[in-house]
Amino acid sequence: MAKDVFIGQKEYFKGINKIQFEGPDSDNPLAFKYYDENKVVAGKTMKDHFRFAIAYWHTFCGTGEDPFGPGTQIFPWNGAADPMDAAKEKLDAAFEFFTKMGTPYYCFHDRDMAPEGSNVAESERNLIEITDLARERQEMTGVKLLWGTANVFSNPRYMNGAATNPNFDVLAHAGAQVKAALDATIKLGGENYVFWGGREGYFSLLNTNMKRELDNLGMFLAKARDYARAQGFKGTFLIEPKPMEPTKHQYDFDTATVIGFLNKYGLQNDFKMNIENNHATLARHTFAHEAQVAYDNGMFGSLDINQGDPHNGWDTDEFLHNLYDATELMLIMLENGGFKTGGMNFDAKTRRSSTDLEDIFIAHVSSMDTMARALLIADNIISKSAYTQMRSDRYASYNSGNGAKWIKGELGLEDLAKIAAEVGEPKQISGKQELYESLINKYLK
Ligand code: XLS
Ligand code: NI
Ligand code: NI
């Protein structure tokens, strides 16, 4: 066993070596068919296009329990009786996994890495101890932290919200947790810090003062930003929109809603969006829609690249395998400059019934290949087809004459009325949607 894939005292993923690129003809489920990290596409290596990050919670903590039954996964790092010993084993397993996958980043919640203690101080000590070890392992392996976050939704104390809780004492606990998670993220060189407000919303307006709750959330985020900046954090703060689940109505509903919120509370210069595909679906948007809204507003940050199931309405967090959706996303990313500080966090879990340890490798490999293949397809569409030209030609009437004057703000309603009378009934121009669809499908290979 090569040293570069061996982290701690024992090997957890026995029989699996570092995943290699074998090309599209390979039948090996534990090899990349399309993801070739050093391959340059549209001026950047694949590694830099994607900046893949493993989600600590699903991959190492998610045992497959659901509301109808307990976990099904047997993880070899879950044996220790003492929770801190178990956390250390999990950490070693995680870094072995990152190294074998060849993914450059990971993401974590405070409670994924270190167990909650019996009081605030003990919880913080646990987190410091484990993240000190994580820092050593980052140095050993070169794996980096894409983002950290605090789990302020699982503990029952957050049942009525964290930063939006009607009880200030609960808000204070959220503050303690976010402070410690920010410290850990800064210590680990995290490039971003995420806020996902799972309990920040309501079930009934009858008992909810929405304005008070949103004001408290705005204040909380401003204070978190001020604290992190004062500690030297230079990275990006990210809000992860989701319309519902676990609350009926979540305040960070979708990208457009969050942008309005950030602007209202003066947070727009420090915060950007962490867009999750499955959350987009729940908001009845596409991943592509959410990404485009974020880019158009200078708010594109990072991505959680899972996918949902079109036949049900919750966050199934499947590994992204829909090539068509991936292609639409990659078209937008290529046209808008890709990532700055963000990356692609999987935020996905294998199915409850996928119980072989190799399944988590197969899932990540498959998703990375889906994205890599989508990148190649999108690059072909942009560089070889008429796609970009066709779309810009649709707006050609704004390039000169009255259209250009309109864009500059030089025409008022009286001018429009005069022009309308002059031009008469406009010529009918087809939107050609099916032509665009057939063009995409032609390149989908
Ligand atoms: C849950 C969210 C969560 C965030 C991180 O639906 O996706 O996993 O990504 O707190
Ligand atoms: Ni997520
Ligand atoms: Ni989610």
Side-chain angles (χ1 to χ4, degrees):
M1 150 112 278
K3 177 70 189 137
D4 66 339
V5 291
F6 195 87
I7 306 304
Q9 301 305 310
K10 67 176 180 226
E11 190 185 11
Y12 293 90
F13 302 98
K14 292 209 178 71
I16 297 177
N17 289 317
K18 189 165 192 309
I19 305 296
Q20 306 290 333
F21 172 73
E22 291 183 3
D25 294 333
S26 169
D27 286 321
N28 178 1
L30 293 172
F32 296 119
K33 324 289 182 300
Y34 296 92
Y35 180 71
D36 181 3
E37 62 174 14
N38 297 316
K39 186 181 169 77
V40 175
V41 182
K44 261 200 302 204
T45 62
M46 283 195 171
K47 191 175 181 184
D48 290 342
H49 272 289
F50 300 121
R51 296 161 56 86
F52 282 120
I54 308 289
Y56 211 92
W57 52 104
H58 284 308
T59 304
F60 312 110
C61 314
T63 54
E65 72 268 21
D66 70 12
F68 303 94
T72 53
Q73 309 289 340
I74 301 158
F75 289 150
W77 53 89
N78 263 354
D82 177 72
M84 284 299 277
D85 289 341
K88 288 172 195 165
E89 286 214 52
K90 184 165 58 177
L91 186 73
D92 282 341
F95 275 83
E96 184 188 325
F97 184 80
F98 305 154
T99 320
K100 286 184 170 176
M101 281 303 308
T103 39
Y105 289 97
Y106 71 105
C107 304
F108 74 100
H109 300 84
D110 50 358
R111 303 301 188 235
D112 309 334
M113 268 216 177
E116 181 155 11
S118 52
N119 54 48
V120 170
E122 193 189 340
S123 297
E124 187 169 349
R125 271 202 310 278
N126 289 351
L127 186 64
I128 290 172
E129 188 180 335
I130 300 293
T131 49
D132 279 347
L133 295 172
R135 182 166 55 180
E136 281 174 17
R137 279 149 186 74
Q138 285 185 206
E139 281 161 13
M140 276 164 69
T141 59
V143 173
K144 293 182 281 186
L145 178 63
L146 186 67
W147 49 261
T149 188
N151 177 337
V152 287
F153 44 87
S154 292
N155 189 299
R157 80 170 68 91
Y158 298 120
M159 66 182 185
N160 288 308
T164 61
N165 200 294
N167 178 358
F168 170 75
D169 293 350
V170 177
L171 184 152
H173 271 266
Q177 246 186 276
V178 168
K179 177 185 169 297
L182 280 166
D183 289 341
T185 301
I186 294 168
K187 177 174 76 182
L188 296 173
E191 297 181 28
N192 307 271
Y193 183 88
V194 163
F195 293 89
W196 172 63
R199 304 275 173 200
E200 315 293 24
Y202 67 82
F203 283 92
S204 171
L205 262 191
L206 295 174
N207 68 358
T208 302
N209 180 339
M210 187 153 55
K211 181 167 190 309
R212 164 65 56 84
E213 295 198 1
L214 280 165
D215 285 349
N216 281 343
L217 183 59
M219 179 71 78
F220 189 91
L221 295 175
K223 296 299 179 191
R225 172 201 56 199
D226 295 346
Y227 173 77
R229 292 291 185 230
Q231 305 305 306
F233 179 62
K234 301 263 187 305
T236 311
F237 298 94
L238 299 169
I239 304 271
E240 185 176 320
K242 186 175 185 181
M244 66 192 84
E245 197 205 17
T247 53
K248 185 186 83 171
H249 176 91
Q250 230 141 283
Y251 292 136
D252 299 333
F253 194 93
D254 63 358
T255 297
T257 309
V258 173
I259 290 171
F261 168 87
L262 292 173
N263 284 326
K264 176 171 176 189
Y265 291 97
L267 299 164
Q268 68 280 0
N269 297 328
D270 297 278
F271 286 76
K272 289 191 164 37
M273 235 37 69
N274 183 45
I275 298 166
E276 176 165 322
N277 192 16
N278 206 159
H279 298 182
T281 319
L282 294 180
R284 301 192 176 215
H285 299 312
T286 60
F287 205 5
H289 168 92
E290 289 289 86
Q292 191 70 67
V293 172
Y295 273 124
D296 291 346
N297 289 280
M299 285 289 180
F300 184 87
S302 203
L303 298 174
D304 279 7
I305 54 154
N306 54 22
Q307 71 169 63
D309 185 306
H311 304 292
N312 65 22
W314 70 90
D315 205 7
T316 55
D317 288 341
E318 293 170 34
F319 279 87
L320 195 146
H321 55 271
N322 184 321
L323 187 57
Y324 198 96
D325 286 356
T327 300
E328 255 201 88
L329 174 76
M330 290 320 299
L331 278 171
I332 289 168
M333 291 192 68
L334 284 179
E335 289 181 311
N336 291 275
F339 289 120
K340 302 238 160 25
T341 64
M344 291 193 181
N345 166 41
F346 293 95
D347 205 352
K349 57 189 178 205
T350 49
R351 297 305 86 192
R352 185 167 186 267
S353 50
S354 299
T355 49
D356 291 342
L357 211 47
E358 69 162 16
D359 292 334
I360 57 179
F361 280 91
I362 293 172
H364 284 87
V365 168
S366 157
S367 211
M368 289 164 77
D369 269 342
T370 303
M371 293 312 310
R373 198 168 159 192
L375 169 67
L376 296 169
I377 293 166
D379 181 48
N380 278 336
I381 292 170
I382 289 172
S383 61
K384 296 188 184 143
S385 83
Y387 168 71
T388 323
Q389 193 61 45
M390 275 161 57
R391 201 176 53 185
S392 83
D393 285 352
R394 275 194 88 200
Y395 299 88
S397 61
Y398 293 91
N399 293 344
S400 58
N402 285 330
K405 281 192 194 159
W406 167 256
I407 284 181
K408 285 191 215 132
E410 290 169 8
L411 301 178
L413 283 192
E414 283 135 327
D415 301 310
L416 294 185
K418 212 168 131 244
I419 294 164
E422 272 167 28
V423 297
E425 187 53 34
K427 181 173 163 272
Q428 193 180 52
I429 301 174
S430 169
K432 311 267 335 148
Q433 183 177 324
E434 299 77 7
L435 179 63
Y436 286 81
E437 288 163 354
S438 76
L439 186 148
I440 302 296
N441 278 3
K442 179 181 152 168
Y443 283 85
L444 212 63
K445 58 183 176 214

